[in-house]
Amino acid sequence: MPIDLTWDAAVRAYWTGRDLQAQRQIEAGRADAGTRGAVTGGKHLDPMRDAVAELFRNAEGIDFDIRTSGKLTLPGYYRRTKDWDLIVLYRGVLVAAIEFKSQSGSFGNNFNNRTEEAIGNAADIWRAYQEGYLGPIRPWLAFVMILEKTPVSTAIQRTAPALFPTDSIFNDTSYLDRYRILLRRLLHEQQYDAAVVAATEQGQGIYDEPDFELSFANFGAAIKGRIEYIRALPDSAFDAG
C-alpha cells in the first residue's frame, strides 16, 4: 500500500522535532534538511496532531472550531476532567476528541501504562457522555499510537505464567502485536471510533502498519466520514439537550 506523503512527513517530523510544514518543505527540497534533534519537550507528536487537524480544517462548507492548545479539558465521570490532545467542536458542541501517544524504549512498563490510559480514557468519557456532560451529539473518539520499531518492540516476548489461564491470542506476540490486539478490540467494542498503530525506525518516516483497520489510510477515511456525518445533521441537532 503506498504511503501517504502527509502521514510520512508527520512521522519524519516526529523524529526530528520539526513542525509538519517545515518537514514538507524539506521533503520538497525547499528547506535545509538539518535536524534540531528532538523527541523532547513533549512536542514530538505535534506534527501528527497537526496532520489530523488539517483534515478537519480543510472540510469545505463547515467551520469547525479545532483546538490543539489552550482549553482542551473535557469533563470526566470517574475523575473530574481529562486533557485531550486535540478536540473539535461545531456550534459549541464536541464532535471529536483525539489522543496521541508514542513509545520509544522501556517497552515493558510503558506498554502497560499506555494500555491503561487507552482503556481508562474511553471508559471515562463515555460515562460522562451518558450522564449528559458532553452535549447532545455522540462524540467521536480516536487514539493514535506510534511505536519505535526495534528488535525489542517487534520480538516475541516471553512472560511469566499468570495465576489463571490467559487469552491465547497473546501467546507468542511482540509489543507491536499487543498494541494491535488492544486497539482492534477497543474499536470492535466501540470504545474508539478510529485508531492508528504504526511502528517506525528512529529517524525514518517509512512506517510499518500491522493492520489495515489501524492504518493511517483507514484513519483518514474515518475522519472524512465523521465530517460528512456532522455536515448532514441539521443545525437544530446541536441545540438539543
Side-chain angles (χ1 to χ4, degrees), residues 2 7 14 31 93 101 121 130 133 149 165 173 183 216 219 228:
W7 298 119
Y14 160 79
V93 173
K101 295 295 183 183
N121 291 347
Q130 291 167 6
Y133 299 135
K149 183 181 179 182
T173 54
L183 269 302
F216 284 113
F219 186 71
E228 292 309 310

Side-chain angles (χ1 to χ4, degrees), residues 197-239:
V197 173
T200 172
E201 293 185 18
Q202 192 168 52
Q204 301 297 311
I206 298 172
Y207 43 80
D208 290 339
E209 298 173 310
D211 189 323
F212 178 75
E213 190 173 12
L214 303 172
S215 68
F216 284 113
N218 197 57
F219 186 71
I223 291 174
K224 291 176 183 177
R226 180 59 173 177
I227 291 170
E228 292 309 310
Y229 172 76
I230 296 300
R231 191 197 309 277
L233 292 177
D235 288 346
S236 59
F238 299 90
D239 300 327

Side-chain angles (χ1 to χ4, degrees), residues 39-53:
V39 212
T40 59
K43 297 294 185 182
H44 51 289
L45 284 167
D46 286 2
M48 199 67 58
R49 179 206 63 195
D50 294 342
V52 173

Side-chain angles (χ1 to χ4, degrees), residues 167-228:
D167 191 334
S168 61
I169 196 173
F170 294 105
N171 293 347
D172 298 326
T173 54
S174 66
Y175 289 115
L176 179 58
D177 294 327
R178 293 173 190 181
Y179 276 119
R180 173 183 55 79
I181 294 165
L182 167 69
L183 269 302
R184 271 191 67 115
R185 286 185 165 183
L186 287 171
L187 283 182
H188 292 176
E189 293 176 2
Q190 299 182 332
Q191 295 301 296
Y192 289 93
D193 298 286
V196 169
V197 173
T200 172
E201 293 185 18
Q202 192 168 52
Q204 301 297 311
I206 298 172
Y207 43 80
D208 290 339
E209 298 173 310
D211 189 323
F212 178 75
E213 190 173 12
L214 303 172
S215 68
F216 284 113
N218 197 57
F219 186 71
I223 291 174
K224 291 176 183 177
R226 180 59 173 177
I227 291 170
E228 292 309 310

Side-chain angles (χ1 to χ4, degrees), residues 43-92:
K43 297 294 185 182
H44 51 289
L45 284 167
D46 286 2
M48 199 67 58
R49 179 206 63 195
D50 294 342
V52 173
E54 271 193 4
L55 293 178
F56 286 98
R57 189 171 292 115
N58 294 337
E60 294 184 6
I62 185 165
D63 187 18
F64 288 113
D65 177 4
I66 302 159
R67 301 188 184 184
T68 58
S69 62
K71 288 187 177 180
L72 299 171
T73 304
L74 297 178
Y77 179 79
Y78 300 105
R79 56 187 164 187
R80 182 176 179 273
T81 60
K82 155 78 174 114
D83 290 336
W84 290 74
D85 295 318
L86 187 156
I87 62 172
V88 181
L89 301 99
Y90 181 66
R91 296 179 64 88

Side-chain angles (χ1 to χ4, degrees), residues 79-156:
R79 56 187 164 187
R80 182 176 179 273
T81 60
K82 155 78 174 114
D83 290 336
W84 290 74
D85 295 318
L86 187 156
I87 62 172
V88 181
L89 301 99
Y90 181 66
R91 296 179 64 88
V93 173
L94 177 70
V95 298
I98 305 170
E99 191 83 350
F100 299 86
K101 295 295 183 183
S102 66
Q103 188 174 344
S104 179
S106 300
F107 295 105
N109 291 336
N110 286 338
F111 172 79
N112 286 333
N113 293 337
R114 294 289 181 262
T115 297
E116 291 167 6
E117 289 170 351
I119 297 169
N121 291 347
D124 193 36
I125 200 168
W126 288 129
R127 283 295 286 120
Y129 169 66
Q130 291 167 6
E131 293 296 320
Y133 299 135
L134 294 171
I137 302 297
R138 182 186 186 277
W140 184 92
L141 300 187
F143 194 96
V144 176
M145 181 67 213
I146 305 298
L147 180 70
E148 181 184 10
K149 183 181 179 182
T150 72
V152 176
S153 66
T154 57
I156 292 174

